[in-house]
Amino acid sequence: VAISNYVKNEIIKKYNLDSNKITVINRGVDVEYFDKKIPDHNIKSLISKFKINASKKIILYPSRLTRWKGQLEFLDTFNKFQNSDFLLYFVGDTKNQSYTLKLQDKIHKLNLNNNCKILGNLNRDELKIFYHLSTVVVSFPIQAEGFGRTISEALIMKKKIIAFNYGGVKDQLENLDDIYKVNSNDYGDILIKLQKIIQLDKDQFLNISSFSRDRIIKSFSKSQMVKNYFNLYEQASIY
């Protein structure tokens, strides 16, 4: 079983296997969890805990801090963005201390301390609140990911996203609006898409986000994943 078409193709290339022997069952997002209303006091508590300036808009980069996840490269793009109304938050595991220090040092050298913060690892509820508070959620790993679940999680919550359109993420973005998609390592296009998506008319984005959410539920929900595994096991038991 491969968690995306990208992983399936990588398995075929590496091990020279028959493609018919590999079944793609995508990872699943817990739609019910992300649909539950967030209590107001939880939102206020998180804003207080991380000292978030509520007058600013948030670009969220949810990913553990490690070289191939691409935070350092995106920092250069954010620096060119030059929009003081936005804060950039890096959230994710910081066990890679040397990389975390490099990122913090670059934030300092670019004089972005007031607009960019490393918040470290969040629990599940905190991440959900950050999705809720964010204006844009981004993902720009310099190597393709096997799946990249944060994309589906953000789309379930009807958030604006921008991501490199390759690896397992490409499966999730297939047939969705091109405003979400950037060719891998095209940092110039990231800047263009970022400017474009934040200026989208509210009603126009509602149509885009509603279609995107429906597709994620249909193809990348936890219930769909379980159903696909169950069907696979049933087929296997026949033989």
Side-chain angles (χ1 to χ4, degrees):
V1 175
I3 60 173
S4 65
N5 285 305
Y6 166 72
V7 171
K8 176 178 178 176
N9 291 332
E10 289 296 299
I11 293 171
I12 291 168
K13 283 192 293 184
K14 185 170 182 178
Y15 298 104
N16 195 29
L17 294 180
D18 181 353
S19 63
N20 293 322
K21 294 183 178 180
I22 304 170
T23 299
V24 174
I25 300 180
N26 297 293
R27 282 184 172 168
V29 176
D30 190 342
V31 176
E32 289 185 6
Y33 170 76
F34 285 102
D35 273 352
K36 286 180 183 175
K37 181 174 170 46
I38 305 169
D40 288 341
H41 68 270
N42 287 4
I43 297 174
K44 291 176 182 177
S45 176
L46 181 131
I47 289 173
S48 175
K49 176 180 178 179
F50 291 104
K51 298 179 173 60
I52 297 170
N53 185 343
S55 68
K56 302 286 187 179
K57 298 174 182 177
I58 293 173
I59 297 173
L60 185 68
Y61 201 123
S63 185
R64 73 181 185 274
L65 270 63
T66 191
R67 180 74 188 89
W68 71 274
K69 291 289 188 176
Q71 290 95 343
L72 282 170
E73 289 76 9
F74 178 67
L75 202 54
D76 289 320
T77 302
F78 181 72
N79 190 41
K80 293 174 184 175
F81 183 49
Q82 294 184 338
N83 190 323
S84 59
D85 289 336
F86 279 82
L87 302 172
L88 170 60
Y89 287 136
F90 293 110
V91 300
D93 186 84
T94 56
K95 288 191 178 107
N96 188 334
Q97 295 182 5
S98 63
Y99 182 77
T100 302
L101 289 172
K102 281 183 183 178
L103 184 61
Q104 186 61 65
D105 185 54
K106 188 167 185 175
I107 291 170
H108 179 71
K109 286 180 178 177
L110 292 175
N111 197 29
L112 291 173
N113 291 296
N114 292 328
N115 294 85
C116 180
K117 305 290 182 184
I118 300 171
L119 300 184
N121 201 32
L122 305 179
N123 64 41
R124 191 187 190 200
D125 291 342
E126 289 173 335
L127 179 58
K128 179 181 173 180
I129 296 171
F130 261 105
Y131 284 142
H132 170 75
L133 294 173
S134 297
T135 300
V136 186
V137 180
V138 299
S139 177
F140 304 115
I142 58 177
Q143 298 174 24
E145 295 198 76
F147 187 72
R149 202 195 305 256
T150 58
I151 299 301
S152 284
E153 290 174 347
L155 290 173
I156 284 292
M157 296 189 71
K158 293 189 173 182
K159 304 308 297 184
K160 295 176 178 177
I161 66 156
I162 309 175
F164 281 155
N165 190 31
Y166 70 161
V169 169
K170 187 172 185 176
D171 289 3
Q172 297 169 71
L173 297 183
E174 186 179 6
N175 298 323
L176 300 188
D177 198 281
D178 285 344
I179 199 165
Y180 295 142
K181 307 169 189 176
V182 176
N183 290 331
S184 60
N185 301 308
D186 190 345
Y187 292 93
D189 195 33
I190 292 175
L191 199 55
I192 293 170
K193 290 286 174 66
L194 194 53
Q195 296 282 10
K196 186 176 179 181
I197 202 165
I198 64 174
Q199 294 170 4
L200 262 186
D201 176 83
K202 186 177 181 180
D203 290 335
Q204 183 183 3
F205 183 67
L206 180 60
N207 291 332
I208 294 171
S209 61
S210 295
F211 176 83
S212 303
R213 173 184 155 83
D214 289 346
R215 183 177 177 275
I216 295 300
I217 291 173
K218 182 179 179 180
S219 301
F220 302 102
S221 66
K222 184 176 72 172
S223 59
Q224 184 61 47
M225 178 186 71
V226 172
K227 181 180 177 181
N228 290 340
Y229 269 108
F230 185 79
N231 290 340
L232 178 66
Y233 295 153
E234 275 202 323
Q235 292 168 16
S237 67
I238 295 173
Y239 300 102

Short mmCIF file of all heavy atoms in Angstrom, two decimals, residues 66-92:
data_model
loop_
_atom_site.label_atom_id
_atom_site.label_comp_id
_atom_site.label_asym_id
_atom_site.label_seq_id
_atom_site.Cartn_x
_atom_site.Cartn_y
_atom_site.Cartn_z
N THR A 66 13.42 21.29 9.85
CA THR A 66 14.54 20.49 9.36
C THR A 66 14.84 20.94 7.94
O THR A 66 14.00 21.54 7.28
CB THR A 66 14.21 18.99 9.42
OG1 THR A 66 15.38 18.22 9.19
CG2 THR A 66 13.14 18.60 8.41
N ARG A 67 16.04 20.68 7.47
CA ARG A 67 16.56 21.29 6.25
C ARG A 67 15.64 21.13 5.04
O ARG A 67 15.38 22.10 4.31
CB ARG A 67 17.95 20.68 5.93
CG ARG A 67 18.60 21.23 4.67
CD ARG A 67 19.14 22.62 4.88
NE ARG A 67 19.59 23.24 3.65
CZ ARG A 67 18.84 23.95 2.83
NH1 ARG A 67 17.55 24.14 3.09
NH2 ARG A 67 19.33 24.49 1.74
N TRP A 68 15.11 19.94 4.82
CA TRP A 68 14.38 19.70 3.58
C TRP A 68 12.96 20.26 3.58
O TRP A 68 12.29 20.29 2.55
CB TRP A 68 14.36 18.21 3.24
CG TRP A 68 13.51 17.34 4.10
CD1 TRP A 68 13.86 16.76 5.28
CD2 TRP A 68 12.17 16.93 3.85
NE1 TRP A 68 12.82 16.02 5.78
CE2 TRP A 68 11.77 16.10 4.91
CE3 TRP A 68 11.25 17.17 2.81
CZ2 TRP A 68 10.50 15.52 4.99
CZ3 TRP A 68 9.98 16.59 2.88
CH2 TRP A 68 9.63 15.78 3.97
N LYS A 69 12.53 20.79 4.73
CA LYS A 69 11.18 21.36 4.79
C LYS A 69 11.10 22.77 4.21
O LYS A 69 10.01 23.29 3.99
CB LYS A 69 10.69 21.35 6.23
CG LYS A 69 10.40 19.95 6.78
CD LYS A 69 9.17 19.33 6.13
CE LYS A 69 8.77 18.02 6.82
NZ LYS A 69 7.52 17.46 6.28
N GLY A 70 12.24 23.43 4.01
CA GLY A 70 12.27 24.64 3.20
C GLY A 70 11.99 25.97 3.91
O GLY A 70 11.75 26.98 3.24
N GLN A 71 12.06 25.98 5.23
CA GLN A 71 11.77 27.24 5.94
C GLN A 71 12.78 28.34 5.60
O GLN A 71 12.40 29.51 5.44
CB GLN A 71 11.75 27.00 7.45
CG GLN A 71 10.58 26.18 7.95
CD GLN A 71 10.92 24.70 8.09
OE1 GLN A 71 11.92 24.22 7.53
NE2 GLN A 71 10.09 23.95 8.82
N LEU A 72 14.05 27.97 5.53
CA LEU A 72 15.09 28.98 5.25
C LEU A 72 14.86 29.66 3.91
O LEU A 72 14.98 30.89 3.79
CB LEU A 72 16.48 28.32 5.26
CG LEU A 72 17.11 28.03 6.62
CD1 LEU A 72 18.36 27.18 6.44
CD2 LEU A 72 17.46 29.33 7.35
N GLU A 73 14.51 28.88 2.91
CA GLU A 73 14.30 29.43 1.57
C GLU A 73 13.06 30.34 1.54
O GLU A 73 13.08 31.41 0.90
CB GLU A 73 14.15 28.30 0.55
CG GLU A 73 15.43 27.54 0.25
CD GLU A 73 15.85 26.55 1.32
OE1 GLU A 73 15.05 26.32 2.27
OE2 GLU A 73 16.97 26.01 1.25
N PHE A 74 12.02 29.93 2.23
CA PHE A 74 10.80 30.76 2.23
C PHE A 74 11.02 32.07 2.95
O PHE A 74 10.38 33.09 2.63
CB PHE A 74 9.62 30.01 2.85
CG PHE A 74 8.37 30.85 2.89
CD1 PHE A 74 7.73 31.22 1.71
CD2 PHE A 74 7.85 31.29 4.10
CE1 PHE A 74 6.59 32.01 1.74
CE2 PHE A 74 6.71 32.08 4.14
CZ PHE A 74 6.07 32.44 2.95
N LEU A 75 11.92 32.09 3.90
CA LEU A 75 12.19 33.31 4.65
C LEU A 75 12.65 34.43 3.71
O LEU A 75 12.28 35.61 3.90
CB LEU A 75 13.24 33.04 5.72
CG LEU A 75 13.29 33.99 6.92
CD1 LEU A 75 11.92 34.12 7.58
CD2 LEU A 75 14.32 33.51 7.91
N ASP A 76 13.44 34.09 2.70
CA ASP A 76 13.86 35.09 1.72
C ASP A 76 12.66 35.65 0.96
O ASP A 76 12.60 36.85 0.67
CB ASP A 76 14.86 34.48 0.73
CG ASP A 76 16.21 34.20 1.36
OD1 ASP A 76 16.66 35.04 2.15
OD2 ASP A 76 16.81 33.15 1.05
N THR A 77 11.72 34.78 0.62
CA THR A 77 10.51 35.23 -0.08
C THR A 77 9.66 36.12 0.81
O THR A 77 9.16 37.17 0.37
CB THR A 77 9.67 34.01 -0.54
OG1 THR A 77 10.47 33.19 -1.39
CG2 THR A 77 8.43 34.45 -1.29
N PHE A 78 9.51 35.74 2.07
CA PHE A 78 8.75 36.56 3.00
C PHE A 78 9.39 37.93 3.18
O PHE A 78 8.69 38.94 3.30
CB PHE A 78 8.62 35.86 4.36
CG PHE A 78 7.83 36.62 5.37
CD1 PHE A 78 6.46 36.75 5.24
CD2 PHE A 78 8.46 37.23 6.44
CE1 PHE A 78 5.72 37.47 6.18
CE2 PHE A 78 7.73 37.95 7.38
CZ PHE A 78 6.36 38.07 7.25
N ASN A 79 10.70 37.97 3.18
CA ASN A 79 11.41 39.24 3.30
C ASN A 79 11.10 40.16 2.13
O ASN A 79 10.96 41.38 2.29
CB ASN A 79 12.92 38.98 3.39
CG ASN A 79 13.70 40.23 3.75
OD1 ASN A 79 13.29 41.02 4.60
ND2 ASN A 79 14.83 40.42 3.09
N LYS A 80 10.96 39.58 0.93
CA LYS A 80 10.62 40.37 -0.25
C LYS A 80 9.15 40.77 -0.25
O LYS A 80 8.77 41.74 -0.92
CB LYS A 80 10.92 39.56 -1.52
CG LYS A 80 12.41 39.29 -1.74
CD LYS A 80 12.61 38.36 -2.93
CE LYS A 80 14.09 38.01 -3.09
NZ LYS A 80 14.31 37.01 -4.16
N PHE A 81 8.33 40.04 0.47
CA PHE A 81 6.90 40.30 0.55
C PHE A 81 6.64 41.72 1.09
O PHE A 81 5.78 42.44 0.59
CB PHE A 81 6.25 39.24 1.43
CG PHE A 81 4.76 39.33 1.56
CD1 PHE A 81 3.94 39.46 0.45
CD2 PHE A 81 4.16 39.26 2.81
CE1 PHE A 81 2.55 39.53 0.58
CE2 PHE A 81 2.78 39.32 2.96
CZ PHE A 81 1.98 39.46 1.83
N GLN A 82 7.40 42.08 2.10
CA GLN A 82 7.40 43.45 2.65
C GLN A 82 5.99 43.98 2.90
O GLN A 82 5.59 45.03 2.39
CB GLN A 82 8.17 44.39 1.71
CG GLN A 82 9.64 44.08 1.63
CD GLN A 82 10.42 45.08 0.77
OE1 GLN A 82 9.86 45.76 -0.07
NE2 GLN A 82 11.72 45.15 0.99
N ASN A 83 5.25 43.23 3.68
CA ASN A 83 3.91 43.66 4.07
C ASN A 83 3.85 43.62 5.60
O ASN A 83 3.79 42.55 6.20
CB ASN A 83 2.85 42.76 3.46
CG ASN A 83 1.45 43.30 3.65
OD1 ASN A 83 1.13 43.87 4.69
ND2 ASN A 83 0.60 43.12 2.63
N SER A 84 3.89 44.78 6.21
CA SER A 84 3.96 44.87 7.66
C SER A 84 2.68 44.41 8.36
O SER A 84 2.64 44.27 9.58
CB SER A 84 4.29 46.30 8.09
OG SER A 84 3.31 47.21 7.61
N ASP A 85 1.61 44.19 7.58
CA ASP A 85 0.36 43.72 8.17
C ASP A 85 0.39 42.23 8.47
O ASP A 85 -0.53 41.70 9.09
CB ASP A 85 -0.82 43.99 7.23
CG ASP A 85 -1.16 45.47 7.15
OD1 ASP A 85 -0.84 46.20 8.11
OD2 ASP A 85 -1.72 45.89 6.12
N PHE A 86 1.45 41.54 8.02
CA PHE A 86 1.51 40.08 8.15
C PHE A 86 2.60 39.64 9.11
O PHE A 86 3.70 40.21 9.15
CB PHE A 86 1.75 39.43 6.79
CG PHE A 86 0.50 39.29 5.97
CD1 PHE A 86 0.02 40.35 5.23
CD2 PHE A 86 -0.21 38.09 5.95
CE1 PHE A 86 -1.13 40.24 4.48
CE2 PHE A 86 -1.37 37.96 5.21
CZ PHE A 86 -1.83 39.03 4.46
N LEU A 87 2.27 38.58 9.86
CA LEU A 87 3.24 37.87 10.69
C LEU A 87 3.46 36.49 10.09
O LEU A 87 2.52 35.87 9.60
CB LEU A 87 2.72 37.72 12.12
CG LEU A 87 2.38 39.00 12.88
CD1 LEU A 87 1.69 38.65 14.20
CD2 LEU A 87 3.61 39.84 13.13
N LEU A 88 4.68 36.00 10.16
CA LEU A 88 5.00 34.64 9.71
C LEU A 88 5.33 33.80 10.93
O LEU A 88 6.23 34.14 11.71
CB LEU A 88 6.19 34.66 8.75
CG LEU A 88 6.80 33.31 8.37
CD1 LEU A 88 5.78 32.41 7.68
CD2 LEU A 88 8.03 33.51 7.48
N TYR A 89 4.58 32.70 11.10
CA TYR A 89 4.82 31.80 12.22
C TYR A 89 5.26 30.43 11.70
O TYR A 89 4.57 29.80 10.91
CB TYR A 89 3.56 31.63 13.07
CG TYR A 89 3.21 32.84 13.91
CD1 TYR A 89 1.90 33.29 13.99
CD2 TYR A 89 4.19 33.51 14.64
CE1 TYR A 89 1.58 34.40 14.76
CE2 TYR A 89 3.88 34.61 15.41
CZ TYR A 89 2.58 35.06 15.47
OH TYR A 89 2.27 36.15 16.24
N PHE A 90 6.43 29.99 12.18
CA PHE A 90 6.90 28.63 11.92
C PHE A 90 6.48 27.77 13.11
O PHE A 90 6.90 28.03 14.25
CB PHE A 90 8.42 28.59 11.78
CG PHE A 90 8.94 29.30 10.56
CD1 PHE A 90 9.66 30.49 10.69
CD2 PHE A 90 8.73 28.79 9.28
CE1 PHE A 90 10.15 31.14 9.57
CE2 PHE A 90 9.22 29.45 8.16
CZ PHE A 90 9.93 30.63 8.31
N VAL A 91 5.65 26.76 12.86
CA VAL A 91 5.23 25.87 13.94
C VAL A 91 5.60 24.44 13.57
O VAL A 91 5.42 24.01 12.44
CB VAL A 91 3.72 25.99 14.22
CG1 VAL A 91 3.36 27.41 14.62
CG2 VAL A 91 2.88 25.56 13.04
N GLY A 92 6.13 23.73 14.55
CA GLY A 92 6.55 22.35 14.30
C GLY A 92 7.70 21.97 15.20
O GLY A 92 8.31 22.82 15.87
#
